[in-house]
Amino acid sequence: MSIISSVTKTVSIDRPFAEVFDFLADLANWPRWAVVNIQSIEPTDDPDWWGMSTPMGPGKLRLRADAELGILDHDYLDDTASWSVPARVVPNGDGAEFMITFFRPPSFTEEFFQKQVALVDTELATLKKILEERS
């Protein structure tokens, strides 16, 4: 048995849990905050998958959300790779924590994976700013 390289990122958001979850559960919002990885996104004929444009080309995204448990797991698929990303929103006082874990896909070198994961900090900062500026 082997362990795959992984990184978990967390951001505290000073907005109610339900508001954070609802914003993230709507894939139409993802290009607003996932600014490094998602250029555009739209529903497809398959209700489970959304088509998106990324810096690496076209891809598909599927969200497996559960509001009661704060689950926002999602699956990514393109012509060269596919992977699943566990994500959670959990209450923290009057606010919320958003946690997302990335596992290195076999097609990524460790160096490339670490560079990509570092870019997520920009996205999480953008998410926090968008949600905390809402009143």
Side-chain angles (χ1 to χ4, degrees):
M1 185 165 150
S2 64
I3 295 191
I4 299 169
S5 178
S6 68
V7 174
T8 299
K9 300 278 186 164
T10 302
V11 63
S12 299
I13 302 172
D14 190 15
R15 299 301 298 167
F17 163 84
E19 184 178 325
V20 174
F21 182 89
D22 290 346
F23 181 85
L24 288 166
D26 183 351
L27 288 178
N29 288 326
W30 284 41
R32 293 179 56 200
W33 69 272
V35 295
V36 173
N37 291 302
I38 301 177
Q39 297 165 329
S40 66
I41 193 164
E42 62 187 7
T44 67
D45 292 337
D46 181 339
D48 291 334
W49 290 93
W50 286 53
M52 63 181 181
S53 174
T54 76
M56 298 178 69
K60 292 182 180 180
L61 189 66
R62 172 177 60 188
L63 185 64
R64 293 176 283 114
D66 182 319
E68 184 178 339
L69 300 176
I71 296 171
L72 290 164
D73 293 356
H74 47 285
D75 303 308
Y76 174 80
L77 176 66
D78 70 18
D79 291 338
T80 63
S82 67
W83 58 86
S84 295
V85 180
R88 303 289 183 273
V89 176
V90 296
N92 179 355
D94 293 333
E97 300 289 323
F98 176 55
M99 298 171 283
I100 187 166
T101 299
F102 301 93
F103 294 96
R104 183 177 63 82
S107 60
F108 285 14
T109 65
E110 184 65 26
E111 180 181 8
F112 180 75
F113 174 66
Q114 293 300 329
K115 284 181 182 178
Q116 295 304 303
V117 168
L119 295 172
V120 173
D121 293 337
T122 299
E123 294 183 331
L124 295 179
T126 302
L127 175 65
K128 178 179 179 71
K129 182 178 180 192
I130 288 169
L131 288 171
E132 289 184 354
E133 287 178 349
R134 296 169 83 179
S135 297

